[in-house]
Amino acid sequence: MTSTGQDSTTTRQRRSIHSPQTPPQDSSIISKPGVKKGTGLRSSPRLAEVKKKGRMKKLSQAAEQELIQGIQVLDLTLETKTLSGTGLVFDEQLNDFHCLWDDSFPEGPERLHAIKEQLIQEGLLDRCVSFQARFAEKEELMLVHSLEYIDLMETTQYMNEGELRVLADTYDSVYLHPNSYTCACLASGSVLRLVDAILGAEIRNGMAIVRPPGHHAQHSLMDGYCMFNHVAVAARYAQQKHGIQRVLIVDWDVHHGQGTQFTFDKDPSVLYFSIHRYEQGRFWPHLKASNWSTTGFGQGQGYTINVPWNQVGMRDADYIAAFLQILLPVALEFQPQLVLVAAGFDALQGDPKGEMAATPAGFAQLTHLLMGLAGGRLILSLEGGYNLRSLAEGVSASLHTLLGDPCPMLESPGAPCRSAQSSLSCTLEALAPFWEILVRSGDSLDEDNEDGDNEEEEEEGPWPPPALPIPMWPIFQSRTGLVYDQRMMDHYNMWDNQHPEVPQRVSRIMSRLEELGLAGRCLTMPARPATDAELLTCHSAEYVARLRATEKMRTRELYRESASFDSIYICPSTFASAQLATGATCCLVEAVLAGEVLNGVALVRPPGHHAEQDAACGFCFFNSVAVAARHAQAISGHPLRILIVDWDVHHGNGTQHIFEDDPSVLYISLHRYDYGTFFPMGDEGAPNQVGRAAGTGFTVNVAWNGPRMGDSEYLAAWHRLVLPIAYEFNPELVLVSAGFDAAWGDPLGGCHLSPEGYAHLTHLLMGLASGRIILILEGGYNLASISESMAACTRTLLGDPPPLLTLSRPPLLGALESITDTIQAHRRYWRSLRTTKIEDKEESFSSKSITKEAPQPANPGSAKKLTMLEENILDESLGKATSAASVQESTPAVVELTQDQPSEAATGEAMLDHTTSEAATLNQTTSEAATGGATLDQTTTEEAVGGAKLIQTPQASSTDNQTPPTSPVQGATSQISLSTLIGNLRTLELDDKAQEAPESEIPEEERLPEAAGGQDVDDSVPMQAFGDIDQAMFYAVTPLLWCPHLVAVHLIPEAGLDVTQPCQDCGALQENWVCLSCYEVYCSRYINAHMMQHHESSGHPLVLSYTDLSTWCYPCQAYVHHQTLLDVKNVAHQNKFGEDMPHSH
C-alpha cells in the first residue's frame, strides 16, 4: 500500500504491469471433446493415447520442479496449539455514575443492567473466561490524551454538581459525575486487560462491556458521552507493550468515531474503518471529516475508511455489503495483527438515536467475518446503544459468535439498497489509489432500472423465514461430523498405476486428520450405501442398472465399458465404492439436519460432480453432492434452499445440468476454463451459462482462463461475487464440492491455493445457513496438498480461527476480468451485484462558501451545471488539504485559507468548521497549479486554535522531479487567482438564448457531444484566456489520469492496428473506434453508433478513436489518459502517421 499522494500514482502505474489475461487460443488448436481429464492437449490424438484414457500426463522436469516448490510452500505446521476461550470483562463498578441533572439522559447504568440480565438468561457469563477490570494508568492514557486533559478530568472527582455541570456544558453532549473519571479509567483498563490476555495467549478473543463509551473522545477533548478513547488507548498500548505493528479498528457504532479517526489519521500502522449514519453531514457529529472523501493525511493517507450512510433504515444487507466490498479486502492487504471493535449497538432496529434497521443476527454476521482476521485475535469494546432490549440482544449475539456459536440465519437478507450502494461506490473510489486489492476490471454501472423504476419498486420484501425450525442458539454435543470408510479404497485402476485418482487419496487425508488430533475432535459417523431411491433422484434407472452390472463383468468387458465414458476407469468394486460414497454423504446430511452435528466432512471417493444423469464422466460415477441436496430436500419435506459451492478446479458439469432449471438450488462453480479448452471442455462452464427456465440466474460460473490462480483470486471472487449472491439467496444448507486440485502442487490444476486460503474460504461460508455446511471431497491429486488443505478446512469447521494468511500479490488481472464477466452476466438476477451510479459526490466548497452569492442564471439547467462546474474546479484544482502536522512535508503553499472562528470548547482547543464562512478570505497568489490544485477539506487537528491555515499540496501527478504544468491556454496569465477563476465561471453564460429548450427536449446527440458515447459538460472545464486574446472562451476537456477499467486493456494483436479499417457492421470509414479488449472496429455514435452497441452487448469498457487517438471509457463516461494506454496509442500513431507518437514515454 502507498502512503502518499505521489506514491499512489506509482501504485496506479504499477498496476498496469501485471501480465494481462492470456488471449483466446486459435480455434484450430482447441481440443476436441474427446480429450480426457488428466491428459495433455493434443492437436491430433493417436490410437495409443486414446487407449490410455484417464492416464495422468507424465510430468516434465520443469513441472516436477514446480511441484516440489509447491509442496515446500505448504504450511505443514497446522498442528500448532490453537487458543481457545472468550474473555469477558464486566464490572459492576462501571454503574457508579449517572447524570445528576437529567434522569432521562440516554447513557445510564440501566444499559449494563439490561446486558447482564440477557447474558445470565442465555447462560453466557459461565461460558466466558471472566477477567477483573483494572484501572488504566495515567501513562497509558497519555498514549492518546494530553496530561493536562487527564489532570482536568481527575479534578472532577472533587467538584460539586454545579461545577460539574458548568464544565460539562463546555463540551458537546456530555455529563459529568464525581465517579466519571474513575469509571472511565476502569473502562479503558478493562480493554487493556483483554489486550494482555489475548496477546499473552491466555484466550482467543474477548469483549469488554464497559461504560462510559470512548470513541468520540479526542486528544484533549471530551465529546459525545466519552471521556477517554478506550480502543485508541488499547491500540497504542498493544503497539508499545506487545510490539504489535498493525492494528485494525472497526467502528460500527451508528455515530462516527471522530476521536479515534483524529488520533490515527496520519498513522499507517492503524487502519481505521467506520460505518456510520451521516446524512450529508446532518447527523451528529456533523463533520465533513466523517464523509467518504476523508482517507487520512501524510503517511496515513488511505488508512482512514469512512462508509457514510445517507439515509435511515439501513439493514443487515447494507452492513454486510460494506464488510465484503471494502473492509475485508483491505484488511487482507493490511494484514492486521490485532482487531479492535468500537462496538456500538445503536444501529439496531428500535434504537431511538440510530433509526437503523440492523438486527442482532446481522451483528453476529459482522463479528463472524472479523473473526477470520488476525488469527482470530479480536476484542469488542462496548460503545453506544440506547434501546435496552436491542442493546442486550446485540451484545448477546456478538458474544455467542465470539464463543463459536453459529450465526443465526438472517430473516431478511436481501441486497444493499441504492443509497448504500452509492456510499460504497464513493468510498471505493476514494480508496482505489491506495489499495491494490480494490482494483476492479470492467465493472459497469447499473443502468438496468434507470427509466421509471423507483427505489420502492426495486426493493423486495423480506424473505420468508426459513421453514426448517432452528433454535436461536442451538447447542451441539459434537460440532463436526466426519464420515470415512476404508471400503471406498477398493475402487482402483486395473490398467494404469499412474492414474491420479488413487485409493490413497482418502486414506492419506484421514491419517493426517488423526495425526493432528482433528479426527478425535469430530464425531466419526458410519457410512452406508446409497439406496436406489436416493440415487434415482439424480440418475436414471437405466444408468444405475448399467453401473450395477459392472460388478460381474470380466476384465475385458470392464475395459470396454470404461472406454465408453469420458475419462473413466471401472473395476469390479467401482459400483459398491460409488454407492458407498454417495450414501456416506447422505448420512452426513441427515446428521446435520437433525441437529446431531453442526457441520461435517465427507472423505469419499470416487468423486462425483462430473457425473451426469445417465453417464459417468471425469473419474465420477454418482453425483454425491447432487444426491445429497435432493436427499436434504426430501427429508426436510420442502424444497430447502441449498447452496452448492464447487471449488474443484474442474467445472462440475454434472451438478450444473441436474439443477440448471431449479431455483431452490444455487450452484456456484469456480474452475479453470481456459476459453473452453480445460476439462470438461466446451462452453458449459462459461460465465454466460446462467441456468434455464425457472432456474435462470441460479447457475453461477466463475471461469478462470489460465493457471496460477491462488488465494488472492479466490478471495476476491468470494468478496465480490460468491458471498453477495449467497447472502441474498439466504441458503438453509451449504454443500461444498471440495476438490483440492486448485491447491499448490496439484499435477492437474496448475493453481496456487494454499491450505490457509482454503481455511478462509470455509470460514466465510460458515456464516451462512446457521453454520450448516458440509464439505464433500471431490478432486485433488497431490497427496500432501490435499491432506493439508482438508486438515485446514476441518480445523476451521471445528471452530478454530483461520490461520494468518499473507497475500503475496493482488489478484491477477485476468482473474478480475473473469469475475467481472460473471458479475455482468448475473447483474440482472442478483441486486447485490449491481453498482449504483455515484450520486453522493461530496459537496466541495462552492463559490458561495467563499464569495458572495451571485445571481442565478436564467436557465435552471445552466445553473445546475455551473454549480457542478465550480465544484469540479474546486475539487480538482485545490486538491487534498493536509493537516497542520503535515505542512512541513508539503510543497510551498498554493492556497492559504485564513479563518477566524470561535473555539467550540471552553478549553480553547477546537477544530475548524467543515465549511468556511463568507468572511473567509483567500490569499490569491496561486501558481499555475491553482487551475488544478487542492480541496478545502476536512477538519484540522486540535492544535488549530482560533485562526488557522490550511496548506494545500499540488496535484498528485506533479512529482518533485517534474516541471510544473504550464497554462493550458496560450496567452493566459501564468497566475490566475481562484476568486477570478470562479468569478469568470459565474459570469459565464453558455448562450442561454440558444439553449432555452428543456434538456429533455434536446436531441440526444446534442446533449451527449462525444463521438463514442457522450461526455457531460460537467466533465470539461471552461477556461477564459487573459492577456492579448480578446476574452476568448475555450473548453479544456480534462481526461481521467486513471480509471478502474484499465485492467480490461488486452495485448495488442500481433498483426498490429489498421486505422483505415472500416466498421465491421456497416463498412463506414469515418469516425471509427477500436475496442481495447477485443480489438474489433466499429463506427461512432455520429455514424451508426455500432461501437456503443458493441459495448452494450460485450461490456468492454475502453475504446480508442482512430480519428484523434483519444481513449473513452463507457462506464466512467470520460476520456482517460494513462501509461497503460501509451503502447496502443503509439502503435495507432505509427500506423496513421508513419512515426512514433511525440512524448510517448
Side-chain angles (χ1 to χ4, degrees):
M1 169 173 172
T2 62
S3 56
T4 65
Q6 177 177 337
D7 290 341
S8 68
T9 303
T10 306
T11 300
R12 289 172 173 170
Q13 294 172 347
R14 184 170 62 249
R15 289 169 177 166
S16 67
I17 66 175
H18 291 302
S19 300
Q21 175 179 315
T22 306
Q25 303 182 31
D26 185 81
S27 59
S28 63
I29 64 171
I30 293 180
S31 299
K32 297 179 174 61
V35 177
K36 307 305 177 189
K37 181 178 180 180
T39 64
L41 298 179
R42 302 285 190 272
S43 57
S44 56
R46 299 173 181 173
L47 179 60
E49 294 169 338
V50 175
K51 288 183 177 180
K52 295 179 180 179
K53 292 179 179 180
R55 176 176 299 224
M56 178 179 67
K57 183 182 71 174
K58 295 292 184 181
L59 296 175
S60 65
Q61 186 174 4
E64 290 177 351
Q65 183 62 31
E66 182 182 7
L67 174 58
I68 293 172
Q69 293 174 351
I71 295 176
Q72 288 174 346
V73 302
L74 292 175
D75 181 6
L76 302 178
T77 61
L78 290 176
E79 61 273 8
T80 57
K81 179 184 177 183
T82 299
L83 295 176
S84 62
T86 294
L88 181 67
V89 181
F90 191 115
D91 197 306
E92 294 288 353
Q93 296 180 72
L94 295 173
N95 287 324
D96 291 344
F97 74 102
H98 62 277
C99 183
L100 296 170
W101 52 85
D102 184 359
D103 292 338
S104 64
F105 205 90
E107 205 297 297
E110 61 276 2
R111 298 176 63 234
L112 266 56
H113 292 320
I115 293 172
K116 182 178 181 180
E117 182 179 341
Q118 185 78 23
L119 300 187
I120 292 174
Q121 178 182 335
E122 298 187 18
L124 294 178
L125 290 180
D126 295 335
R127 294 177 60 191
C128 297
V129 180
S130 180
F131 287 94
Q132 183 66 38
R134 73 166 178 85
F135 290 94
E137 303 293 335
K138 275 192 177 182
E139 293 75 14
E140 294 166 342
L141 296 174
M142 287 171 60
L143 293 171
V144 171
H145 301 286
S146 69
L147 178 60
E148 295 77 12
Y149 172 68
I150 298 170
D151 288 341
L152 175 62
M153 294 297 103
E154 187 177 25
T155 64
T156 61
Q157 300 176 95
Y158 314 108
M159 293 182 182
N160 60 39
E161 180 178 337
E163 293 169 332
L164 291 169
R165 188 164 186 174
V166 169
L167 179 58
D169 287 345
T170 64
Y171 299 111
D172 184 8
S173 303
V174 302
Y175 69 83
L176 286 166
H177 183 280
N179 293 333
S180 291
Y181 174 77
T182 300
C183 291
C185 289
L186 199 60
S188 288
S190 298
V191 185
L192 300 185
R193 180 65 186 94
L194 289 177
V195 170
D196 287 333
I198 288 176
L199 298 182
E202 298 178 61
I203 54 174
R204 176 189 302 169
N205 53 44
M207 175 179 276
I209 301 176
V210 296
R211 58 178 293 266
H215 66 145
H216 299 305
Q218 300 167 43
H219 178 260
S220 299
L221 194 69
M222 196 177 182
D223 203 357
Y225 312 166
C226 303
M227 180 178 288
F228 298 133
N229 197 312
H230 316 312
V231 293
V233 171
R236 287 288 184 236
Y237 177 80
Q239 292 177 324
Q240 184 184 77
K241 181 176 179 180
H242 295 278
I244 293 297
Q245 297 177 333
R246 295 177 305 280
V247 179
L248 166 63
I249 296 178
V250 177
D251 191 335
W252 67 43
D253 190 281
V254 81
H255 301 90
H256 177 234
Q258 79 275 30
T260 312
Q261 175 172 307
F262 296 155
T263 301
F264 301 110
D265 60 4
K266 306 176 200 65
D267 185 354
S269 70
V270 177
L271 174 63
Y272 176 69
F273 173 92
S274 178
I275 182 168
H276 50 266
R277 182 176 169 186
Y278 182 62
E279 292 188 287
Q280 306 294 354
R282 294 188 298 274
F283 191 69
W284 197 91
H286 313 294
L287 296 178
K288 185 181 178 69
S290 306
N291 206 3
W292 55 267
S293 57
T294 302
T295 59
F297 302 102
Q299 294 297 312
Q301 195 172 15
Y303 292 88
T304 293
I305 303 175
N306 284 311
V307 179
W309 293 148
N310 287 313
Q311 69 179 34
V312 298
M314 294 298 185
R315 303 183 301 166
D316 297 333
D318 304 308
Y319 281 84
I320 291 171
F323 271 50
L324 295 181
Q325 294 185 32
I326 300 174
L327 175 58
L328 293 187
V330 172
L332 278 173
E333 186 173 339
F334 179 66
Q335 288 294 302
Q337 298 163 297
L338 176 66
V339 180
L340 302 173
V341 180
F345 292 93
D346 37 9
L348 284 168
Q349 191 167 17
D351 191 277
K353 290 188 170 294
E355 299 184 81
M356 295 297 174
T359 68
F363 278 101
Q365 292 285 346
L366 302 185
T367 304
H368 174 80
L369 293 174
L370 293 178
M371 289 170 66
L373 303 173
R377 292 186 289 195
L378 172 66
I379 297 174
L380 273 60
S381 176
L382 180 64
E383 296 285 353
Y386 306 101
N387 177 300
L388 299 184
R389 178 180 175 183
S390 296
L391 170 65
E393 292 179 352
V395 170
S396 169
S398 294
L399 192 54
H400 269 290
T401 307
L402 290 176
L403 286 163
D405 295 343
C407 298
M409 287 186 65
L410 299 174
E411 292 186 4
S412 178
C417 67
R418 285 191 175 273
S419 179
Q421 289 172 335
S422 177
S423 295
L424 297 178
S425 296
C426 291
T427 302
L428 284 167
E429 180 185 51
L431 294 174
F434 310 108
W435 299 97
E436 288 185 319
I437 205 164
L438 295 181
V439 171
R440 293 181 177 251
S441 170
D443 282 0
S444 64
L445 299 177
D446 173 34
E447 300 180 1
D448 296 346
N449 296 283
E450 278 191 341
D451 298 327
D453 285 357
N454 56 35
E455 186 170 334
E456 287 71 25
E457 293 172 341
E458 272 287 305
E459 298 293 340
E460 295 182 6
W463 286 75
L468 192 68
I470 312 167
M472 184 63 177
W473 301 105
I475 303 298
F476 299 92
Q477 294 294 329
S478 298
R479 181 182 176 94
T480 301
L482 174 64
V483 61
Y484 166 76
D485 195 307
Q486 194 168 355
R487 289 177 292 172
M488 286 180 274
M489 297 179 65
D490 293 342
H491 168 67
Y492 69 100
N493 193 315
M494 303 167 61
W495 307 278
D496 184 2
N497 58 11
Q498 295 295 321
H499 195 283
E501 209 289 287
V502 295
Q504 292 76 19
R505 294 175 60 241
V506 288
S507 60
R508 281 287 296 272
I509 294 175
M510 189 63 185
S511 296
R512 186 57 173 154
L513 296 184
E514 292 173 341
E515 290 172 13
L516 297 176
L518 299 176
R521 295 171 61 188
C522 298
L523 176 64
T524 303
M525 309 179 66
R528 63 163 175 83
T531 65
D532 281 4
E534 291 164 349
L535 294 176
L536 292 176
T537 60
C538 296
H539 299 284
S540 67
E542 295 77 12
Y543 172 64
V544 173
R546 181 179 178 182
L547 279 188
R548 181 176 277 115
T550 62
E551 292 183 300
K552 299 179 180 179
M553 287 184 179
R554 299 175 181 176
T555 302
R556 183 180 299 275
E557 294 173 317
L558 289 171
Y559 187 87
R560 268 200 309 269
E561 186 71 354
S562 301
S564 67
F565 297 113
D566 186 359
S567 302
I568 286 294
Y569 67 80
I570 304 176
C571 74
S573 301
T574 294
F575 175 79
S577 296
Q579 191 181 29
L580 192 60
T582 305
T585 307
C586 290
C587 283
L588 204 48
V589 166
E590 293 166 1
V592 168
L593 294 187
E596 187 177 353
V597 292
L598 171 63
N599 54 47
V601 174
L603 298 183
V604 296
R605 67 174 291 272
H609 68 145
H610 294 307
E612 301 279 4
Q613 181 183 13
D614 54 3
C617 179
F619 312 163
C620 303
F621 298 89
F622 295 133
N623 198 311
S624 300
V625 70
V627 173
R630 288 299 185 216
H631 186 59
Q633 292 179 330
I635 63 179
S636 64
H638 76 286
L640 202 69
R641 288 194 306 276
I642 297 177
L643 166 64
I644 297 177
V645 176
D646 190 337
W647 68 42
D648 189 282
V649 80
H650 302 93
H651 176 241
N653 52 289
T655 312
Q656 174 171 310
H657 289 152
I658 290 170
F659 297 112
E660 61 186 350
D661 60 354
D662 186 351
S664 71
V665 177
L666 171 61
Y667 176 67
I668 302 179
S669 176
L670 302 93
H671 51 269
R672 274 191 67 178
Y673 180 62
D674 294 11
Y675 306 100
T677 65
F678 200 76
F679 187 89
M681 320 306 175
D683 63 355
E684 291 175 334
N688 60 3
Q689 297 294 314
V690 298
R692 62 184 181 85
T696 302
F698 292 87
T699 294
V700 182
N701 285 306
V702 180
W704 306 133
N705 285 311
R708 300 188 304 279
M709 302 301 168
D711 299 336
S712 296
E713 290 74 28
Y714 277 80
L715 283 167
W718 246 240
H719 295 148
R720 302 181 185 193
L721 174 65
V722 175
L723 290 174
I725 293 178
Y727 273 107
E728 188 173 349
F729 179 66
N730 199 27
E732 298 168 275
L733 176 67
V734 177
L735 303 176
V736 179
S737 278
F740 294 102
D741 37 10
W744 259 105
D746 191 273
L748 300 188
C751 291
H752 295 164
L753 259 173
S754 69
E756 298 87 349
Y758 280 115
H760 279 264
L761 299 183
T762 302
H763 173 79
L764 290 170
L765 292 176
M766 287 168 63
L768 302 165
S770 291
R772 291 188 305 223
I773 175 174
I774 299 174
L775 270 59
I776 303 161
L777 181 65
E778 296 282 0
Y781 308 100
N782 177 290
L783 299 184
S785 62
I786 65 173
S787 299
E788 296 304 323
S789 297
M790 184 60 96
C793 293
T794 304
R795 187 186 291 277
T796 303
L797 291 176
L798 284 164
D800 296 348
L804 290 171
L805 178 65
T806 301
L807 300 182
S808 59
R809 54 169 174 76
L812 296 175
L813 301 185
L816 293 180
E817 183 163 309
S818 294
I819 295 169
T820 298
D821 288 344
T822 307
I823 291 174
Q824 297 283 14
H826 280 273
R827 282 187 194 278
R828 68 185 67 182
Y829 311 116
W830 300 99
R831 291 188 300 119
S832 54
L833 300 182
R834 301 176 191 172
T835 306
T836 299
K837 287 186 177 180
I838 296 176
E839 299 171 352
D840 183 30
K841 285 291 187 183
E842 183 181 7
E843 296 183 3
S844 303
F845 293 107
S846 61
S847 63
K848 66 180 181 181
S849 302
I850 303 173
T851 61
K852 292 183 178 180
E853 185 173 350
Q856 295 293 321
N859 188 322
S862 299
K864 181 178 179 181
K865 291 183 182 293
L866 277 170
T867 301
M868 296 179 68
L869 283 168
E870 292 171 16
E871 292 174 355
N872 287 343
I873 287 183
L874 283 164
D875 277 340
E876 299 295 332
S877 299
L878 296 180
K880 182 72 86 172
T882 63
S883 64
S886 61
V887 168
Q888 296 176 351
E889 300 174 4
S890 66
T891 57
V894 293
V895 179
E896 293 185 355
L897 170 65
T898 303
Q899 178 176 354
D900 294 321
Q901 179 173 326
S903 170
E904 290 184 355
T907 59
E909 299 190 4
M911 297 177 298
L912 288 181
D913 197 299
H914 343 300
T915 58
T916 61
S917 64
E918 292 188 4
T921 59
L922 284 170
N923 293 334
Q924 295 162 0
T925 56
T926 64
S927 64
E928 298 90 346
T931 62
T935 358
L936 311 179
D937 192 20
Q938 325 307 342
T939 47
T940 64
T941 57
E942 294 166 8
E943 286 78 3
V945 181
K949 292 183 179 181
L950 294 180
I951 309 301
Q952 280 67 33
T953 56
Q955 292 182 1
S957 58
S958 299
T959 57
D960 294 338
N961 60 355
Q962 290 177 321
T963 305
T966 57
S967 175
V969 181
Q970 185 177 2
T973 309
S974 61
Q975 296 186 356
I976 304 175
S977 70
L978 185 62
S979 61
T980 302
L981 180 62
I982 295 175
N984 290 332
L985 187 59
R986 269 297 181 186
T987 57
L988 175 65
E989 297 184 7
L990 300 177
D991 194 8
D992 287 337
K993 294 181 180 179
Q995 300 185 28
E996 292 177 353
E999 184 174 344
S1000 60
E1001 297 177 13
I1002 300 175
E1004 181 184 359
E1005 56 269 22
E1006 295 179 23
R1007 285 188 280 122
L1008 299 174
E1010 207 288 313
Q1015 172 163 326
D1016 292 337
V1017 68
D1018 303 351
D1019 295 329
S1020 59
V1021 179
M1023 307 197 66
Q1024 190 167 359
F1026 299 92
D1028 297 335
I1029 300 179
D1030 185 18
Q1031 297 296 309
M1033 194 64 62
F1034 299 85
Y1035 272 89
V1037 176
T1038 306
L1040 299 177
L1041 298 181
W1042 177 86
C1043 92
H1045 308 97
L1046 289 167
V1047 292
V1049 177
H1050 286 184
L1051 289 175
I1052 304 170
E1054 293 184 3
L1057 301 178
D1058 181 6
V1059 298
T1060 64
Q1061 186 175 346
C1063 171
Q1064 294 180 213
D1065 279 356
C1066 65
L1069 296 173
Q1070 293 81 25
E1071 295 194 34
N1072 284 330
W1073 295 70
V1074 60
C1075 172
L1076 296 184
S1077 293
C1078 63
Y1079 289 93
E1080 296 180 3
V1081 175
Y1082 298 99
C1083 60
S1084 77
R1085 65 181 310 278
Y1086 288 122
I1087 307 302
N1088 292 310
H1090 286 135
M1091 181 55 80
M1092 291 182 67
Q1093 296 172 18
H1094 172 69
H1095 160 69
E1096 292 169 358
S1097 62
S1098 68
H1100 296 167
L1102 287 155
V1103 293
L1104 174 72
S1105 169
Y1106 276 164
T1107 302
D1108 59 9
L1109 305 187
S1110 61
T1111 307
W1112 176 259
C1113 179
Y1114 284 100
C1116 293
Q1117 285 291 292
Y1119 290 100
V1120 182
H1121 182 70
H1122 186 268
Q1123 181 178 349
T1124 304
L1125 305 168
L1126 294 184
D1127 287 344
V1128 67
K1129 285 190 174 186
N1130 193 51
V1131 170
H1133 193 278
Q1134 289 173 337
N1135 184 261
K1136 189 177 183 73
F1137 301 107
E1139 60 183 10
D1140 287 340
M1141 186 169 61
H1143 312 298
S1144 61
H1145 57 284

